[in-house]
Amino acid sequence: MGERFQSFCDQYPNEESCYDYFFRVKWPEGFICPRCSYRHAYIIRSRRTPLYECRACRHQTTLTADTALERSRLPLRKWLFAFIQWSDYELGINATELSLEIQVTYKTAWSMLHKVRNFISRAEDSQPLSAKIVGELAFIGRPHNFSFELHPKEHPVIIAASLQEADVPSRVKIKLVEPAHLHCKMLTRSGLSAFTGLYTDRSSEQPDISKSYFRLHRNARFKQWRNTVRSWLHQKFRGIGRKHLQLYLDEFCYRLNGTHRCPSSDGPLSRTSIHLCMHPSECS
């Protein structure tokens, strides 16, 4: 057991304390049937976790049903620890660190964090950019490739932001660009249309996005975000392949959008991330 987890266990000494925490997150005003919204249930305690049977429609559910914790046999205390450590903006936690802290296999730890990232990614996609939108084409992965040709380890992305008054960013997105949407490291019209259709509000004006690799760094903020996400991916995860890269980019943006750098934050990362993972309907 790791030192951080041991300290955490002093605050949450048993499963009951963690169960109560997750219950308050999922049902802050008491049980609500997910089918008919009735507020009273029979509680069947013959299982490892209680089963709730609605007194009105007889629908049965559990605390973890339709959440990131569904079908998991891990103790709730390990899940709560993973949530809180994942939400640490300065450090975060990778699968190797989590596996050592809570004494599970690397595969189990990776699966836990992957589930969280999937929920966070869905939540990020449900919040389109709006109002004044600016962005740039950038490349992450293999550094210092000045060739016109895209290297296999070089990943093109659009870094874009919604700007409020005084050009203060309110939300940032970093989205992978398909190589088919590039021509000599320049974003094609179809690439810009694909990004606009998926990630911007339809009522917003046409985004001002630099389509050319050769026009990078016109905005210091974009350069800073590009360098920061590069550093974070390398130092924390030793690099990520394209297959799962978008989830990590969405995680980075979720962290960035949750800090004071972006005034749209609606609460501490640990609280909002746990809330999203316990309320999947709010992630879409």
Side-chain angles (χ1 to χ4, degrees):
M1 182 184 297
E3 292 183 5
R4 282 186 285 177
F5 186 55
Q6 181 63 58
S7 176
F8 170 82
C9 289
D10 293 337
Q11 183 178 1
Y12 294 92
N14 50 46
E15 281 291 279
E16 287 73 21
S17 59
C18 296
Y19 189 94
D20 291 342
Y21 181 96
F22 282 118
F23 188 97
R24 291 193 300 271
V25 173
K26 185 169 184 176
W27 295 312
E29 298 179 0
F31 171 82
I32 299 178
C33 176
R35 176 179 290 177
C36 70
S37 300
Y38 195 66
R39 292 183 173 271
H40 300 282
Y42 300 105
I43 304 178
I44 304 171
R45 301 185 183 275
S46 58
R47 300 157 48 97
R48 185 174 69 93
T49 56
L51 183 69
Y52 297 87
E53 182 177 298
C54 176
R55 293 189 180 187
C57 69
R58 303 298 180 179
H59 176 71
Q60 294 183 338
T61 189
T62 64
L63 177 68
T64 60
D66 298 321
T67 72
L69 283 65
E70 187 172 22
R71 298 181 182 178
S72 173
R73 295 184 178 275
L74 288 173
L76 294 178
R77 188 158 56 173
K78 293 187 176 183
W79 269 107
L80 184 55
F81 174 81
F83 276 122
I84 293 176
Q85 292 299 309
W86 180 90
S87 302
D88 187 324
Y89 179 75
E90 293 297 329
L91 299 177
I93 194 166
N94 59 38
T96 299
E97 294 169 335
L98 182 60
S99 66
L100 294 175
E101 284 286 343
I102 63 176
Q103 297 295 291
V104 298
T105 65
Y106 174 87
K107 182 178 180 180
T108 297
W110 184 90
S111 179
M112 293 171 71
L113 297 176
H114 193 69
K115 287 182 178 180
V116 176
R117 290 188 182 102
N118 268 298
F119 275 70
I120 295 305
S121 182
R122 289 164 54 189
E124 277 296 300
D125 283 348
S126 70
Q127 300 292 324
L129 299 177
S130 59
K132 182 180 179 181
I133 303 170
V134 296
E136 289 190 357
L137 177 67
F139 294 83
I140 59 177
R142 186 175 185 270
H144 310 305
N145 177 26
F146 298 105
S147 168
F148 291 146
E149 299 296 325
L150 194 66
H151 189 276
K153 292 185 178 181
E154 194 176 27
H155 307 296
V157 297
I158 290 177
I159 305 176
S162 296
L163 300 183
Q164 295 181 333
E165 294 182 5
D167 287 344
V168 176
S170 60
R171 178 164 294 277
V172 178
K173 288 188 183 296
I174 304 177
K175 293 298 182 180
L176 283 168
V177 177
E178 293 296 329
H181 290 316
L182 293 180
H183 176 67
C184 293
K185 290 191 174 180
M186 296 180 65
L187 186 67
T188 63
R189 187 185 297 266
S190 63
L192 179 58
S193 296
F195 178 86
T196 302
L198 289 172
Y199 306 118
T200 67
D201 191 291
R202 293 183 179 180
S203 62
S204 301
E205 60 187 67
Q206 182 73 8
D208 176 17
I209 295 178
S210 174
K211 305 176 184 180
S212 174
Y213 171 65
F214 308 103
R215 290 175 57 197
L216 287 175
H217 314 330
R218 63 174 182 171
N219 188 308
R221 284 199 187 98
F222 290 98
K223 181 179 179 180
Q224 178 186 2
W225 293 332
R226 177 179 60 83
N227 291 339
T228 302
V229 71
R230 274 181 172 175
S231 176
W232 179 68
L233 289 171
H234 174 71
Q235 294 180 11
K236 198 66 184 177
F237 308 104
R238 297 295 183 262
I240 300 294
R242 185 180 178 88
K243 180 178 180 180
H244 299 297
L245 179 57
Q246 187 60 67
L247 291 178
Y248 288 82
L249 295 177
D250 290 341
E251 174 185 344
F252 176 83
C253 290
Y254 176 78
R255 296 178 184 280
L256 184 64
N257 293 331
T259 67
H260 292 296
R261 301 178 198 178
C262 290
S264 60
S265 172
D266 58 356
L269 284 175
S270 58
R271 188 175 67 209
T272 54
S273 61
I274 295 173
H275 180 87
L276 288 172
C277 289
M278 296 298 289
H279 296 83
S281 62
E282 297 183 17
C283 297
S284 57

